[in-house]
Amino acid sequence: MVIRALAESCMVDLVNPLASVLDYRRLYTFLQDRYADRVVLTFAQIEDLLGFPLPAPARLEREWWSRADTGVPESVQSDSWARASRTATVNLSARTVLFERLELPAGRPAR
C-alpha cells in the first residue's frame, strides 16, 4: 500500500516502474499535431507510437485511462493527452481510445 501511494505521488507506472513522461512523449506529439478534434486509435496503434506494449491495466481497467479531474491521481500516461488538451475515453472491448480535444476557454485562439 505504501509503495502504491508513493508510486502514484511520483507518477510512476507500477507495471513498468521505469516509465516516465518521456516514454509517452510520442503519444503527446501525435495528439498535439492532429488538427481533428476527435482521434480514435487502437491499442495496437498506440503501442506502435509508443514503441512498447501497453501495460496490462490499460487493457483491463478504465481507471488507467482516467485523469485527475475524475478524482484519480494524475499518471504519466494521462499527462500525455492532457498536455495535448485532450481527454481519453477507452472502449475496452473494441480495444480503442477516443481522444477528444478539450473546448478552449472563450477568447483563447485555436491551434
Side-chain angles (χ1 to χ4, degrees), residues 7-38:
E8 287 174 352
S9 70
C10 296
M11 296 190 320
V12 174
D13 182 339
L14 289 174
V15 175
N16 180 5
L18 299 177
S20 72
V21 173
L22 293 176
D23 293 331
Y24 290 89
R25 183 153 182 85
R26 288 185 195 139
L27 179 58
Y28 158 78
T29 301
F30 178 85
L31 294 172
Q32 182 69 21
D33 291 347
R34 301 284 78 76
Y35 287 100
D37 289 335
R38 298 166 50 103

Side-chain angles (χ1 to χ4, degrees), residues 31-82:
L31 294 172
Q32 182 69 21
D33 291 347
R34 301 284 78 76
Y35 287 100
D37 289 335
R38 298 166 50 103
V39 176
V40 177
L41 295 173
T42 65
F43 288 177
Q45 289 170 320
I46 295 170
E47 290 172 333
D48 286 346
L49 281 170
L50 296 174
F52 59 87
L54 288 167
R59 299 173 182 283
L60 304 171
E61 302 169 7
R62 287 187 192 288
E63 294 79 15
W64 193 88
W65 300 95
S66 297
R67 282 266 307 132
D69 55 342
T70 62
V72 175
E74 190 151 339
S75 61
V76 177
Q77 68 274 6
S78 69
D79 191 53
S80 65
W81 55 81

